[in-house]
Amino acid sequence: MSRLRAYHALLAVLVVAAYFSTEWGSAHAWLGYGVAAVIALRLVMALTGAHQLGLMRFYPHFQGLKVDNAFTHPAISRVLLAGIAVCLIGVTATGIAMDGGRSLGLNPPVASSTDPIRAAGDTHDEAEEDDEGEGEGEGEEGGPLGEVHELFGNGLMLLVVLHVSYLFLFKRPLARFMLFAAAKTKSQPLP
């Protein structure tokens, strides 16, 4: 289980850093690629690891769900995890699609030949551009793909807050365990 906790901690740090680094340009993209690498690592762990690391953790089972156990039934945790997984994969995929490998040096930066200022690397205020009615392309931040990326990112943060709140309210021992704050067991004296 320590692999799962380490994965969880690394993913949480990368996701939070990526969410709050949207104005940092290539640093935001690099954090997104880091998230993609951690997701790939998690898939490898799920396919080669213990049952606790399997992907069935994300599939909600509603058997045994009753009014008296509604808040402690595993279905709630699993629904939140499934939503987090969908948003995480969605925000990562749209981010990679928007970047198109430019931050990794795989593709040259996109510059408009009709806009010499942007072609020279200098950007102007995007709010002015929106006021002029000029839409961005899908590879740019303001295009439809950028809107979907932002929607997934905001949905991810909402679900993460709900997930953490749920764990602290109803599954405190698990929350403490995942935060490396589980109660310590008595150690045996050395011989």
Side-chain angles (χ1 to χ4, degrees), residues 6-20:
Y7 155 80
H8 185 266
L10 179 61
L11 182 63
V13 167
L14 286 172
V15 166
V16 169
Y19 184 77
F20 289 108

Side-chain angles (χ1 to χ4, degrees), residues 28-94:
H28 177 73
W30 275 97
L31 288 166
Y33 283 112
V35 169
V38 171
I39 291 171
L41 175 66
R42 176 65 170 95
L43 288 174
V44 169
M45 287 170 50
L47 296 174
T48 62
H51 173 70
Q52 296 91 351
L53 302 175
L55 296 178
M56 289 305 291
R57 295 176 50 101
F58 297 96
Y59 181 74
H61 297 281
F62 296 100
Q63 291 174 304
L65 180 62
K66 298 176 186 166
V67 173
D68 61 337
N69 71 350
F71 290 113
T72 58
H73 192 275
I76 294 174
S77 290
R78 290 179 175 197
V79 166
L80 289 170
L81 284 176
I84 288 170
V86 167
C87 287
L88 184 63
I89 291 168
V91 73
T92 304
T94 55

Side-chain angles (χ1 to χ4, degrees), residues 8 11-12 15-16 80-81 83-85 87-88 153-168:
H8 185 266
L11 182 63
V15 166
V16 169
L80 289 170
L81 284 176
I84 288 170
C87 287
L88 184 63
N154 291 333
L156 174 63
M157 286 300 115
L158 173 65
L159 289 169
V160 165
V161 167
L162 290 173
H163 171 68
V164 170
S165 299
Y166 172 77
L167 289 177
F168 275 112

Side-chain angles (χ1 to χ4, degrees), residues 84-144:
I84 288 170
V86 167
C87 287
L88 184 63
I89 291 168
V91 73
T92 304
T94 55
I96 289 171
M98 286 175 17
D99 184 60
R102 287 184 292 281
S103 295
L104 299 176
L106 300 175
N107 287 328
V110 176
S112 173
S113 60
T114 60
D115 187 351
I117 295 173
R118 187 165 284 216
D122 191 8
T123 60
H124 55 284
D125 188 15
E126 288 185 22
E128 291 175 8
E129 195 169 283
D130 289 340
D131 291 341
E132 294 171 9
E134 296 176 19
E136 295 271 341
E138 284 199 25
E140 300 292 330
E141 290 179 21

